[in-house]
Amino acid sequence: MADPSLFAPRDDADIEALIAAAPLAWVVSATGGPPLATPLPLLIADGWTGDAPPRLIGHFARTNPQVERLRREPQALLLFMGPNAYVSPSWMADRRQAPTWNYACAQLHATIRFQDAPGDAEAAVTRLATLMEQGRPRAWSPAEMAERLERLARGVVAFEAEVSGTSAKFKLGQDERRDVFADIAAGLSQGGQSDLVVWMQSFAVTPSDGPADPSLAKKV
């Protein structure tokens, strides 16, 4: 069984990179009533490092019942799932290997603070769209909506999430033998999972060349 610390983030920059690569998170409220959850794109406000707690920004539809819940009970869990894929022993020369799943994920505990000042919602919508359009051919700008942008913004409420704790796991083949790691990377690449392979290569350690125990099922 691999040491769990092998899959820990190397530093806060790994969590920041994961959020930037996979910004759509589940925002979960588990206090004040039955659990509520909404998928929302979240952006890092000012970078992850520094003396101040990390902050994320986003926006809810004003009609979402979770808004009123979070106004009363502002604690939330933010769940991010990065690149992930099933790993098949069919790709491997050593077919005694067990199947597993490679992935990167993070959960953040945060306090939600809504921002209702004039212009806050429009600024949040504009910031998200501008970032997501960056680098696209014929990139679109929210200004092209003209007066529709203001009307749209009236239907949403911006918020800031101040992060108080994080837990993350980057299970990306760090415990695999060198030959098994190479077979996994090749299989994922052939299956169109090149983004996951890039993450695996980034986290790669020098794997053992010793024999793996095929009877030991990997835990995901």
Side-chain angles (χ1 to χ4, degrees), residues 184-196:
I184 293 172
L188 289 170
S189 295
Q190 291 171 8
Q193 296 283 349
S194 56
D195 287 351
L196 179 55

Side-chain angles (χ1 to χ4, degrees), residues 39-112:
L40 295 174
L42 302 178
L43 307 180
I44 296 170
D46 300 309
W48 202 258
T49 57
D51 296 331
R55 294 179 300 116
L56 304 177
I57 58 174
H59 59 275
F60 272 98
R62 286 188 179 274
T63 56
N64 189 319
Q66 197 172 359
V67 171
E68 291 308 312
R69 171 77 66 82
L70 285 167
R71 289 190 190 277
R72 298 192 307 269
E73 302 282 349
Q75 300 305 308
L77 185 64
L78 314 178
L79 304 176
F80 292 88
M81 176 58 74
N84 68 93
Y86 172 71
V87 173
S88 171
S90 68
W91 302 333
M92 303 172 197
D94 180 0
R95 294 176 66 94
R96 298 171 303 164
Q97 297 298 310
T100 188
W101 208 284
N102 279 7
Y103 59 88
C105 65
Q107 54 179 317
L108 283 54
H109 294 271
T111 300
I112 304 297

